[in-house]
PDB file of all heavy atoms in Angstrom:
ATOM      1  N   HIS A  40     -15.260  -4.300  -4.027  1.00 98.00           N
ATOM      2  CA  HIS A  40     -14.873  -3.029  -3.360  1.00 98.00           C
ATOM      3  C   HIS A  40     -13.379  -2.767  -3.346  1.00 98.00           C
ATOM      4  O   HIS A  40     -12.962  -1.629  -3.080  1.00 98.00           O
ATOM      5  CB  HIS A  40     -15.420  -2.967  -1.894  1.00 98.00           C
ATOM      6  CG  HIS A  40     -16.866  -3.323  -1.824  1.00 98.00           C
ATOM      7  ND1 HIS A  40     -17.874  -2.419  -2.122  1.00 98.00           N
ATOM      8  CD2 HIS A  40     -17.489  -4.474  -1.458  1.00 98.00           C
ATOM      9  CE1 HIS A  40     -19.040  -3.003  -1.964  1.00 98.00           C
ATOM     10  NE2 HIS A  40     -18.850  -4.254  -1.578  1.00 98.00           N
ATOM     11  N   GLU A  57     -15.387  -5.622   4.838  1.00 98.00           N
ATOM     12  CA  GLU A  57     -15.551  -6.399   3.598  1.00 98.00           C
ATOM     13  C   GLU A  57     -14.414  -6.132   2.624  1.00 98.00           C
ATOM     14  O   GLU A  57     -13.909  -7.057   1.971  1.00 98.00           O
ATOM     15  CB  GLU A  57     -16.901  -6.065   2.993  1.00 98.00           C
ATOM     16  CG  GLU A  57     -17.218  -6.863   1.735  1.00 98.00           C
ATOM     17  CD  GLU A  57     -18.487  -6.416   1.050  1.00 98.00           C
ATOM     18  OE1 GLU A  57     -19.131  -5.415   1.511  1.00 98.00           O
ATOM     19  OE2 GLU A  57     -18.832  -7.044   0.040  1.00 98.00           O
ATOM     20  N   HIS A  99     -18.122 -11.061  -2.508  1.00 98.00           N
ATOM     21  CA  HIS A  99     -18.629 -10.060  -1.540  1.00 98.00           C
ATOM     22  C   HIS A  99     -19.025 -10.721  -0.228  1.00 98.00           C
ATOM     23  O   HIS A  99     -19.205 -11.922  -0.140  1.00 98.00           O
ATOM     24  CB  HIS A  99     -19.895  -9.356  -2.109  1.00 98.00           C
ATOM     25  CG  HIS A  99     -19.575  -8.336  -3.169  1.00 98.00           C
ATOM     26  ND1 HIS A  99     -19.446  -7.018  -2.888  1.00 98.00           N
ATOM     27  CD2 HIS A  99     -19.348  -8.502  -4.489  1.00 98.00           C
ATOM     28  CE1 HIS A  99     -19.167  -6.367  -4.012  1.00 98.00           C
ATOM     29  NE2 HIS A  99     -19.090  -7.248  -5.023  1.00 98.00           N
ATOM     30  N   PHE A 100     -19.169  -9.850   0.764  1.00 98.00           N
ATOM     31  CA  PHE A 100     -19.813 -10.247   2.048  1.00 98.00           C
ATOM     32  C   PHE A 100     -20.917  -9.230   2.293  1.00 98.00           C
ATOM     33  O   PHE A 100     -20.795  -8.046   1.915  1.00 98.00           O
ATOM     34  CB  PHE A 100     -18.804 -10.212   3.191  1.00 98.00           C
ATOM     35  CG  PHE A 100     -17.715 -11.261   3.034  1.00 98.00           C
ATOM     36  CD1 PHE A 100     -16.563 -10.981   2.322  1.00 98.00           C
ATOM     37  CD2 PHE A 100     -17.879 -12.525   3.589  1.00 98.00           C
ATOM     38  CE1 PHE A 100     -15.590 -11.944   2.157  1.00 98.00           C
ATOM     39  CE2 PHE A 100     -16.886 -13.499   3.405  1.00 98.00           C
ATOM     40  CZ  PHE A 100     -15.740 -13.206   2.683  1.00 98.00           C
TER      41      PHE A 100
HETATM   42 ZN1   ZN B 301     -20.054  -5.914  -1.222  1.00 68.76          ZN
END
Side-chain angles (χ1 to χ4, degrees):
H40 310 281
E57 182 185 3
H99 284 265
F100 294 88

